Amino acid sequence: MPEPVEESQRIAFFGGSFDPPHLGHIGIARAAQIALRLDTVLFAPVGIQPLKPHGSTATYDDRVAMTELAIKGVPDFAICLADAPNPNGMPNYTIDTLMHLRKQFPSAALFTLMGADSLLSLPHWHRGAEVPFLAPLIVASRPGQRLEDLAAIVPDGLTIHEDGPAASGAAEGTLRVFTLRNAAGASTPLYLLPGVEIEISGTEVRQQVSAALERLCAGHELLPDAVCHYIAAHGLYR
């Protein structure tokens, strides 16, 4: 579990299947950490992803173990079990997890880190329009992402406009800053990380592992070494 944090620490919640955790995840988290001067990035494997009805390929325990291996030794990256499977078997909703983290870290500045694919699906999330107001979004953009694209994909009831250069607390010249507004007039920032051109998907990794595990572990470019060896040792993705 993550350590208690001091007042004004900046923490990013990075949820996902991590099935398996790959170098794309590490690259996104590192870029966000530098750009937003984050003190901690919490990697939180999800128990049951509501938008993936068939579930994850690996078990939750295996995904936690692989994620711990993937971030081992990386400064200020930590495993987080806030998205562990619910005892009642219900899906895990990000809005509930963020509310829990808000109580756990009441004095911290909390953010939600996600890839472009997650932003595209945000309108379909449970209470997705509320998520950015609990923890501002940090999004790893696709190359050439345009404002018109963002306006088309934000949840109903929200509007977005670009503010310009990096805001206070962010490294200059490394990201674009937008403002989201809801119908009640509340506003929250959205940070778009540029140049994170790491096009790796969990599906791609699983297919490569299944097709050629030994070759992948001998000279792979997608997985941390420790994760690859864990997969081989436990016979995952066969």
Side-chain angles (χ1 to χ4, degrees):
M1 293 294 291
E3 297 292 331
V5 299
E6 298 177 359
E7 186 174 359
S8 300
Q9 280 207 317
R10 299 165 67 82
I11 301 173
F13 166 78
F14 190 13
S17 298
F18 298 110
D19 190 24
H22 51 67
L23 294 178
H25 296 128
I26 304 301
I28 289 171
R30 181 61 178 150
Q33 185 182 42
I34 293 171
L36 271 298
R37 297 173 182 166
L38 300 172
D39 295 291
T40 306
V41 178
L42 301 177
F43 285 70
V46 63
I48 299 178
Q49 221 277 33
L51 300 182
K52 293 184 178 179
H54 299 295
S56 300
T57 302
T59 67
Y60 177 76
D61 288 342
D62 280 327
R63 291 183 286 117
V64 168
M66 288 189 288
T67 304
E68 288 181 316
L69 290 171
I71 65 176
K72 185 177 181 180
V74 181
D76 304 317
F77 285 7
I79 196 73
C80 174
L81 305 182
D83 244 356
N86 289 314
N88 60 10
M90 294 293 291
N92 298 78
Y93 294 115
T94 299
I95 189 76
D96 297 330
T97 304
L98 290 175
M99 291 171 66
H100 169 77
L101 291 174
R102 274 285 179 206
K103 293 178 181 178
Q104 186 176 356
F105 306 122
S107 60
L110 186 63
F111 302 86
T112 302
L113 175 60
M114 62 175 61
D117 287 344
S118 294
L119 180 63
L120 289 170
S121 67
L122 186 62
H124 306 290
W125 288 21
H126 176 62
R127 296 168 63 184
E130 300 175 45
V131 167
F133 294 87
L134 269 178
L137 306 183
I138 307 171
V139 182
S141 66
R142 295 181 181 277
Q145 187 82 56
R146 301 187 306 274
L147 175 59
E148 306 89 81
D149 299 328
L150 295 177
I153 62 177
V154 296
D156 289 343
L158 301 185
T159 60
I160 185 169
H161 70 267
E162 187 163 8
D163 295 337
S168 175
E172 289 292 335
T174 59
L175 76 167
R176 297 163 64 191
V177 184
F178 299 80
T179 295
L180 286 171
R181 296 187 186 278
N182 63 19
S187 64
T188 186
L190 181 150
Y191 301 97
L192 198 63
L193 296 171
V196 186
E197 300 182 13
I198 306 172
E199 294 293 337
I200 304 175
S201 71
T203 299
E204 176 187 358
V205 173
R206 290 191 296 273
Q207 288 173 345
Q208 289 203 23
V209 170
S210 179
L213 182 60
E214 295 304 323
R215 177 181 59 80
L216 188 66
C217 285
H220 61 82
E221 297 180 352
L222 305 181
L223 294 172
D225 290 340
V227 173
C228 197
H229 293 303
Y230 182 97
I231 291 170
H234 291 80
L236 303 181
Y237 310 122
R238 299 284 189 178

